[in-house]
Amino acid sequence: MDKIVVKGGPALHGEVKVSGAKNAALPILASSLLADGTSVYRNVPDLVDVSTMLKVLNTMGCEAERLTGRQKNVCQVAVGGNTITPEAPYDLVKTMRASVLVLGPLVARYGRARVSMPGGCAIGARPIDQHLKGLKALGADITLTEGYVEARAKHLKGGTVNFDVITVTGTENVMMAAVLAKGHTVLENCAREPEVEELAKVLNKMGARIEGAGTSVITIDGVDSLHPVEHSILPDRIEAGTLLVAAAISGGDVLVKHAVPEHLEPVIQKLREAGCTLTTENGGIRCKAPKTIHPVDVTTTEHPGFPTDMQAQLMVLMCVANGTSVISENIFENRFMHVAELHRMGADITIQGPTAVVKGVKKLSGAPVMATDLRASASLILAGLRAEGRTDVARVYHLDRGYERLERKLRGLGADIRRVKA
């Protein structure tokens, strides 16, 4: 098992490119099931989660692979309607919650689906009840048996779905099901994330008729069939935000290329409040660190608010701010598990229910720490960039689920960081 070793001190400088968005690539790969033929996707990040989704598709009978050689970051998925077994097994789904995204396409296209209940990061309960509510509203019969969801429908029919809570994967799953349903579908209280909008863009390129993606109300007119597509995945806004924080916490000056400012407005705003100078230039965002980091209060909310996936990273920055910050987590109930590890590095953080009170300290100290989830692993590496001495981050398989060779990108900016066998 690998670990990441960081020696703090160097200020990061230079340029770094953001990889494709994991949270866009996964539903888009799942959408391949909606059409016979071969779809080709570019700018697909080389991540464990992407490999898992390709395995899920192959298990069903698709020919899904990452191309090699000059075709870097290109995946293709070939689907033949008569060869598909509409089942996603427990052994794969338990490792990645996003595997449940095959549920909507399978029941829409093949009339039935059997998908294991999902797993993924241990950051709190993330039920799929809204997925099932949406599929039921479109006419699917749902049963839960032996840890599997079984959905059946001869023909899905358009309907109205009002999500009780905002759910990204729920919006995506029901949207994919509705594109082949007969008639008109209205989805209300939808997730508005750029990744939802990206999926709708791909589905429309395949021949779907979707309007309103990126807003709280999405309308869909069902079509009889879709065709395969070629598409380049949008840049990963969470990776971009993480790299901007890396520049800030190290006292550096970094241009994060391919970062999309419109997707990062709440993060940019908080970094500016912290004293950073952020400018848009050369197809990216430049972050120049201040001499003194100012405290910032943050409340995570659904997009377009401050993303929960950036909470741990901003908390680390506030650990070395000149003052006290209050960070409230409104999305996941167990997303402060990194706090205990930051305490080992000298951070002063007090947890009060869904709120963390962070008192800035003059220095962090390197220590052996353990990643508890994907974004926590990135936050511990950020802490290591600032800490005095050596920080060993164990269990970085979490990191590899969502960041494409982060240690190489940071090393290219001047960080003293390497991956070693634990």
Side-chain angles (χ1 to χ4, degrees):
M1 189 178 296
D2 292 351
K3 68 178 179 180
I4 300 291
V5 177
V6 189
K7 292 182 180 178
L12 304 188
H13 289 90
E15 299 181 357
V16 61
K17 292 182 180 179
V18 177
S19 299
K22 173 187 85 108
N23 288 338
L26 297 178
I28 288 170
L29 286 170
S31 74
S32 305
L33 291 163
L34 291 165
D36 280 352
T38 302
S39 291
V40 179
Y41 308 108
R42 308 185 188 283
N43 200 34
V44 180
D46 188 5
L47 303 172
V48 171
D49 275 10
V50 170
S51 297
T52 300
M53 182 60 82
L54 294 175
K55 289 177 183 177
V56 170
L57 293 171
N58 280 321
T59 298
M60 295 177 184
C62 302
E63 294 181 9
E65 61 179 340
R66 178 180 294 280
L67 302 186
T68 58
R70 293 184 179 181
Q71 300 289 327
K72 185 179 179 182
N73 292 111
V74 177
C75 290
Q76 68 178 25
V77 182
V79 179
N82 296 328
T83 64
I84 298 301
T85 301
E87 178 172 332
Y90 170 74
D91 286 348
L92 290 174
V93 179
K94 72 178 180 180
T95 66
M96 185 184 72
R97 184 176 187 274
S99 303
V100 77
L101 286 164
V102 301
L103 184 60
L106 286 175
V107 71
R109 179 89 195 285
Y110 303 102
R112 61 188 180 92
R114 187 171 187 265
V115 178
S116 172
M117 296 292 282
C121 279
I123 55 174
R126 296 194 284 176
I128 61 168
D129 58 311
Q130 297 303 301
H131 304 233
L132 305 184
K133 172 185 175 178
L135 293 175
K136 285 181 181 178
L138 300 183
D141 291 324
I142 306 291
T143 57
L144 304 178
T145 177
E146 298 179 346
Y148 280 78
V149 176
E150 295 188 7
R152 291 182 177 272
K154 280 192 174 181
H155 298 290
L156 292 178
K157 298 178 180 179
T160 298
V161 180
N162 190 320
F163 294 107
D164 299 319
V165 295
I166 296 174
T167 162
V168 174
T169 52
T171 300
E172 292 168 338
N173 228 342
V174 181
M175 182 168 65
M176 286 190 283
V179 295
L180 292 179
K182 294 186 180 299
H184 185 70
T185 296
V186 179
L187 307 183
E188 300 174 341
N189 197 30
C190 296
R192 299 163 59 186
E193 272 73 1
E195 295 80 13
V196 174
E197 197 170 355
E198 181 83 344
L199 174 61
K201 183 185 298 184
V202 170
L203 293 171
N204 283 338
K205 287 173 70 172
M206 296 172 73
R209 298 171 62 189
I210 302 171
E211 294 183 357
T215 74
S216 60
V217 179
I218 298 174
T219 59
I220 305 158
D221 288 309
V223 297
D224 292 334
S225 63
L226 299 177
H227 53 77
V229 70
E230 290 196 17
H231 185 78
S232 182
I233 306 295
L234 86 170
D236 194 309
R237 61 193 170 100
I238 304 302
E239 183 194 356
T242 302
L243 293 167
L244 292 172
V245 174
I249 199 168
S250 71
D253 183 352
V254 174
L255 174 62
V256 181
K257 301 195 76 171
H258 300 162
V260 181
E262 307 90 82
H263 296 167
L264 285 162
E265 288 179 357
V267 175
I268 291 171
Q269 176 186 340
K270 292 301 176 181
L271 288 175
R272 283 178 173 157
E273 288 180 25
C276 301
T277 301
L278 286 99
T279 54
T280 301
E281 56 181 88
N282 298 329
I285 303 171
R286 178 178 296 278
C287 180
K288 186 174 182 180
K291 290 184 178 180
T292 301
I293 297 169
H294 306 308
V296 171
D297 293 343
V298 172
T299 298
T300 64
T301 59
E302 295 85 357
H303 190 81
F306 192 90
T308 181
D309 281 352
M310 281 298 302
Q311 175 258 106
Q313 298 91 309
L314 195 82
M315 181 185 288
V316 170
L317 185 62
M318 293 302 98
C319 286
V320 293
N322 183 26
T324 300
S325 306
V326 177
I327 298 176
S328 299
E329 173 58 60
N330 287 336
I331 307 299
F332 295 125
E333 67 271 24
N334 289 345
R335 207 153 204 183
F336 287 149
M337 291 191 292
H338 52 283
V339 169
E341 302 303 301
L342 292 175
H343 283 161
R344 292 172 51 78
M345 302 180 71
D348 185 348
I349 307 169
T350 303
I351 302 298
Q352 302 172 354
T355 299
V357 178
V358 186
K359 296 180 180 179
V361 296
K362 290 186 177 180
K363 69 173 185 177
L364 296 173
S365 300
V369 291
M370 182 174 64
T372 53
D373 61 72
L374 169 55
R375 305 307 171 185
S377 61
S379 74
L380 296 174
I381 290 173
L382 294 176
L385 294 175
R386 179 64 177 248
E388 294 183 0
R390 168 174 164 163
T391 299
D392 289 30
V393 183
R395 294 176 66 180
V396 294
Y397 58 83
H398 289 295
L399 185 80
D400 297 335
R401 289 187 50 232
Y403 289 93
E404 185 175 32
R405 292 180 280 276
L406 180 63
E407 74 278 5
R408 292 189 192 178
K409 294 185 178 185
L410 293 173
R411 190 164 59 244
L413 296 170
D416 187 343
I417 182 172
R418 68 187 190 278
R419 179 183 291 254
V420 300
K421 293 293 182 183

